[in-house]
Amino acid sequence: MKHIYTGKTKNVYELEDGNYLLEFKDDVTGVDGVFDPGANTVGLTIEGAGLAGLKLTKYFFELLNEKGIPTHFIEADIDKKTMKVKPAETFGKGLEVICRFRAVGSFLRRYGLYAQEGQPLDAFVEVTIKDDEREDPPISEDALDMLGILSKTEYKVLKELTQKIAGIVKEELAKKGIELYDIKFEFGRDKETNEIMLIDEISGGNMRAYKNGEYIEPLELEKLILEG
């Protein structure tokens, strides 16, 4: 296999069969040693984070595939901390799509003049550009269309998929008495069908979840969901 890319939390390899292999690392996003799923820098390394992230990702992607929701997931090798996925074309140089159920993180930092910490939000969808230099700025539906990144038709599909997938994750967490505050996804176009599909991962490192008002760390979240 051929090494393609070294990301913040994963290494990416191209396989001989045209698919790709994602190798999960123990690095997580954050600032000054504090974990933050909304950060665009690696903040710290947590032993076991890669394995925990892969286990949750496998769990949720298999669930989504069963429900007929398009994803790039093919199979996972837990022992090797790798996941085999279908090739996907990103939107522009990459987008992140956040679904928010409560006001925390960057939403609260931006709109704190009006928003109260933890106030309910109605599955609010927000798109940001993957651009570390400019701190992943939010972008509107109109701007995405005018800049040729994502058409208005594609945006509608993206938003509907985001809310649907976030709702499924929220329901799964609720079964364990856990509340999902927000979650971040990535999407791409299937290179064979051009269909919009979920890519990357669904793990504790991409969401904020709380139990009895207390934030749950990524490794603990994996244990609560899969072992609880």
Side-chain angles (χ1 to χ4, degrees), residues 176-192:
K176 307 288 185 177
I178 301 168
E179 183 179 358
L180 180 65
Y181 275 32
D182 62 23
I183 186 165
K184 178 175 65 179
F185 300 122
E186 292 188 33
F187 292 88
R189 299 181 185 93
D190 186 315
K191 284 196 173 180
E192 286 191 4

Side-chain angles (χ1 to χ4, degrees), residues 89-104:
E89 177 190 4
T90 60
F91 299 106
K93 296 181 180 178
L95 300 175
E96 292 182 341
V97 189
I98 304 101
C99 189
R100 302 183 184 276
F101 296 101
R102 287 192 179 271
V104 289

